[in-house]
Amino acid sequence: MPLQHRPVTPEDIPTLCTFPQNAQELFYMFPKARYPLTEHQLSTAIAQRTESTVFEKNNRTVGFANFYKAEMHGVCCIGNVIVAPDARGQGVASYIVETMTALAFDRYQATAVHIACFNENTAGLLLYPKLGFLPFAVEERCSPEGHRVALIHMSRGSAGLGS
């Protein structure tokens, strides 16, 4: 059965909270949260964001994402991207990013879609350029352990790959 998506519901929250397997994974997904991810932390983030979306395969939740910024005829920023541990490496992340990108261009007539990835998130750094995202800025951040890390901001324009 192909992947599907739908708006998040309160019943999804407990399952989604189990996806980050450690503090580093949670930092990649949701830098402001503290491990372990709680229903309160995730519910608060969802309330402050738009288009919070659950991704399913065979009627089982396998991913999540939303927009932390969504401007009509402007920029939409994808955030809180996470894939269930047992669904990783199966194309779920690609489906999530492509679905959210299409939503930005179709529903918001976005001029660009942005996504950000920490320098230590090798899977994201390898995936996003394959989906047409190109780096445009690097921001210094601090990891939960207090180390310097780079948050790489990437963009994909409405005209297609990298534009």
Side-chain angles (χ1 to χ4, degrees):
M1 179 179 221
L3 288 159
Q4 299 175 313
H5 61 280
R6 61 173 174 77
V8 71
T9 66
E11 293 75 31
D12 296 316
I13 305 294
T15 299
L16 295 171
C17 286
T18 68
F19 288 3
Q21 296 295 287
N22 54 50
Q24 185 176 44
E25 286 185 12
L26 179 59
F27 182 65
Y28 295 165
M29 172 205 180
F30 185 3
K32 293 180 181 175
R34 293 292 161 247
Y35 189 79
L37 181 58
T38 64
E39 292 180 32
H40 176 74
Q41 288 180 102
L42 186 55
S43 296
T44 300
I46 288 169
Q48 296 169 350
R49 295 173 177 230
T50 59
E51 305 293 347
S52 289
T53 305
V54 164
F55 297 84
E56 297 179 326
K57 185 175 184 179
N58 299 324
N59 296 316
R60 191 175 69 77
T61 301
V62 294
F64 176 75
N66 55 35
F67 294 136
Y68 61 88
K69 176 180 178 183
E71 299 174 340
M72 187 62 85
H73 305 289
V75 174
C76 290
C77 301
I78 301 171
N80 289 155
V81 177
I82 188 81
V83 175
D86 62 349
R88 294 175 186 169
Q90 300 173 31
V92 175
S94 292
Y95 180 79
I96 290 171
V97 174
E98 289 288 29
T99 299
M100 297 303 289
T101 300
L103 182 64
F105 291 137
D106 296 344
R107 188 170 294 168
Y108 293 88
Q109 289 85 52
T111 56
V113 177
H114 292 178
I115 197 161
C117 187
F118 285 101
N119 64 293
E120 296 172 346
N121 183 352
T122 304
L125 288 177
L126 294 173
L127 173 66
Y128 302 147
K130 286 181 185 176
L131 299 177
F133 288 85
L134 297 177
F136 69 89
V138 178
E139 175 185 352
E140 184 173 331
R141 291 279 191 96
C142 187
S143 73
E145 300 81 30
H147 302 112
R148 293 173 67 198
V149 295
L151 182 61
I152 301 159
H153 295 273
M154 300 182 197
S155 182
R156 178 171 158 187
S158 59
L161 296 182
S163 57

